[in-house]
Amino acid sequence: MLDRAGHIEELARRPDAVAVLHHGAFVYANAAFLQLCGMAPDAELTALLFLDLIEPGDRERARLVLAEGLTTPAAADQPNAYQLRLRRPDQTQADCQARAHQMRFDGEDCVLIQLTPSQSAAWPQRLRALPWRLYFSIAFVCLFTILPSALLTRLSINNAPDVYFPDDEPAVVIDRALRERFPNDQVFVLLFEGVALFSEGLLEALDALAGDLERLEIVDRVLSVTRLDHIRGSDDGFSVEPLIDVQDFGASRWHTRRDRAVNDRFAQGLLVARDGSALALVVVPKRVDDSLAGLRLEQDILAAVERARLRGHLTAVAGQVAVDVAELRAMLHDNMLFIPATVLIGLALIWVLFRRMVALVVSGLALGVVTNSTVAVYALLGQPFTLISSIIPPLLSALTVAALVHLFNAIQYAAQHGYHGPGRVDRALAEVRKPALFTALTTMAGLASLGTSPIVPIAAFGLISAAGVLLIYFVVIEILPALLKRWDRQPWPKTRIGLHWMDLAVRRCSRVAIRRPLLVTVGIGLGLLLGLPQLFKVKVETDIHEFFQPDHEIRVATDRIDRLLAGTNSLEVVFESPVRDGLADPATLARIKAFQTWAKTLPQVDNALSYVDVIEEMHWAFNGEDPAFRAIPTDRRLVQQYLLVYDGEDLWDFVDRDLRLAHVPLNVNVHSANATTELMQQIRDYLAAAGFDDIGWEIAGLGRLVADMEDLLVTGQVRSLWGALGVVFLLLILAWRSLRDAAICMIPNLSPILLIFVLMGLLDIWLDMATAMIASVAVGIAVDDTIHLYHGFSKRFKASGNAVSALARTYRHVGRAVTTTTLILCAQFMILTASEFVPTTHFGLLTSVGLVTAWAFDVTLFPAILMLVFHRPQRRLSLSRNRATT
């Protein structure tokens, strides 16, 4: 009888593929067997189960082979053959016939199994045996790495105010109609200060600069003291000439020119400071279609200023387009900082946690595919990429890393329990697939609820980021496992250095909750109640200038121009007559003039001009510049005569040539939405009582667009938050098949939302277009950890009926994963606090606070509630809603 060494030598010489099994596990396999299984000649199969090498659909037949091998003597003529499909480590399949018989090996009763390759398999069978999932995964990663890069070249970066409103919004409709007839109210204002402002050389340079800028295709006109119409008396009535004519300075001195500009009603406060210490150039573009066009225009303007050698006198650049450009620069700065930073932090944390190069590589692939593909959706749908959209890359990077941590944690857990190779990945997927699906769905619900917002970029952000979350689930759960099965062959480390404190923190928090559930629940509840008064301090407000830090260049420039000139914010009151020449009626002119006079008395209004002022100037000049005639003519025919002989251009900036539509621009020194809304209400009250029954009136302009955003924000916030909570609750009911269990899981996730609003009230953080998204985003993300925890608890409780042990085991197994994902999410959201854009900073800070709070409630309040509901010292309570067993 041969000993072990003799058996091994004999089996090694055999040309056919044979192996020895003991209780279904490999004891020895020869080189031919290893080759057939797709393994290296020196591969070690000891302790590996034979069934692990067989495709799941053929494992019943494999069990029959093993069963017959136990009863078939070695001397049998021809054991029964069974067709089996082997699953190789590279995910390819091999068809073979298996036979088995008894064998005595090393003093033990074993089974000798012989595999013979099947040469007669038909080509469809061979085709099906190919590793299509691996091929598909590789193709998917390649396609979604290359294709988005091509689409991103078509991405429209645009943060202009127009893109924030739906096309049918009344303020947008009115503003669009107004711009078809009158100049754009979104302008660049250039402020020039210094000595000799009214010298001939500087005025000539300023006029040359204006001419240079007017030659730009995008510029409609440029307003300056050298190009503004000035009406004066003449021998035959009146004439229209430049306020300061650089072609004919005559014998005028600099102070004469200064006084002429300062005393002109159309230049005062608009193009020249009231004390003559500053001059302004107002660049009126035809239409700025996107923020990049505004950036190019600003660059062209500054280049022209350099050519005119006026850069030393230029002290400020402001205006609505300049603010838009500043927001664009903040967006570009954020993207250049946040995208690489979030990716690097995520990969660094993956490495620290798992120390596996294959995990690092597939994580990098996943991050690239998810973020690039999601941003490319903007280009695919023709949606503008705004400051709101710039939150998507760090958001999805954080969520991708969180999903990867759960997968890798499950793989490591499976490795520690003896699984390896493809079986290790399958075991991990069985553990995380369901919770990963429902966490993806709940996060999608929270984000997609923002799609109901009437503010277009917020709605686009919600829907596109929800699609990105779906892509995260597909990539992490369906694509990456095939790559891991093929290339992840090395053992996973059993410990993660330096992270023991995570386990300690989770264990201590959950232990207190398990031992003192009532005390923990009541204590947290009372703490939240104490914070409720802060909810009423949350202010809904939007102030575009407050979006920047006080020392930001655009805020400093705006404050300077507001101080020296009229306010840079604009409101426009539009008057429309139902008949031609209806606005030439002296009574109508008098009412419009009375409105202007009243508006100038308001502290929020610095200036108000209209076509009535031009008519008064013509009447004054026609009558020998007699101050008594600087008034509205009482004769309608005289008004029409003035308008007929007027040969300037400025008049038609205020009224159309049919005298049916006119507007009164108001230079406003307040920028916040609430202050603008208050001003608009004052204007509406005045006009309603002023007897404008025969002509229509309306308020337009950028100021109204910003003010109306407040109502849209409140409507969208309420709608999206309730929508998110409702959908998440329904998904939890679907996941647990229990109304009670879904309600239990909602409690620890409502509390962080409450705390976020309490913090906003305490720190005086406004509810604006960025912070309005926090609640819906937080409720979708925060519930993820709750789902993972409850999924683990429910399985263990059903198996043991003991709530204490089920909770302890769950927090020991899942606690580190949920703590890790919270740290990862917070670390990546905290990067947003480095933004130059204040709302983005607030979004990152408050979302991080919400997630930390959600984690704290998940490891304290949640186990305490579960103990109160499920712990019964004397009997076992089932998780089913309607069934209890003892």
Side-chain angles (χ1 to χ4, degrees), residues 85-96:
R85 285 177 300 164
L86 297 176
R87 182 170 60 179
R88 293 168 166 171
D90 62 359
Q91 300 305 298
T92 60
Q93 294 177 347
D95 291 332
C96 64

Side-chain angles (χ1 to χ4, degrees), residues 602-623:
L602 299 175
Q604 307 98 312
V605 178
D606 286 341
N607 205 358
L609 292 173
S610 76
Y611 76 107
V612 179
D613 297 299
V614 181
I615 292 173
E616 283 186 345
E617 289 292 290
M618 289 188 285
H619 190 49
W620 163 75
F622 187 78
N623 289 278

Side-chain angles (χ1 to χ4, degrees), residues 490-511:
Q490 300 300 318
W492 282 59
K494 294 184 178 181
T495 59
R496 281 171 274 181
I497 300 171
L499 299 178
H500 176 69
W501 61 271
M502 286 188 188
D503 298 329
L504 187 62
V506 172
R507 192 159 53 242
R508 287 184 175 178
C509 291
S510 59
R511 187 180 299 164

Side-chain angles (χ1 to χ4, degrees), residues 95-162:
D95 291 332
C96 64
Q97 290 184 335
R99 296 180 175 85
H101 60 74
Q102 298 172 344
M103 179 181 183
R104 191 74 178 170
F105 185 88
D106 199 21
E108 298 282 349
D109 290 328
C110 298
V111 172
L112 180 72
I113 189 164
Q114 178 186 18
L115 299 182
T116 305
S118 298
Q119 302 297 332
S120 59
W123 70 266
Q125 190 175 6
R126 295 181 182 179
L127 192 62
R128 285 194 300 271
L130 294 174
W132 288 113
R133 180 176 289 272
L134 176 63
Y135 295 163
F136 173 78
S137 297
I138 294 173
F140 181 91
V141 170
C142 292
L143 179 64
F144 281 83
T145 299
I146 298 171
L147 185 60
S149 301
L151 288 172
L152 289 174
T153 60
R154 296 163 43 192
L155 187 66
S156 171
I157 300 176
N158 188 8
N159 201 60
D162 292 351

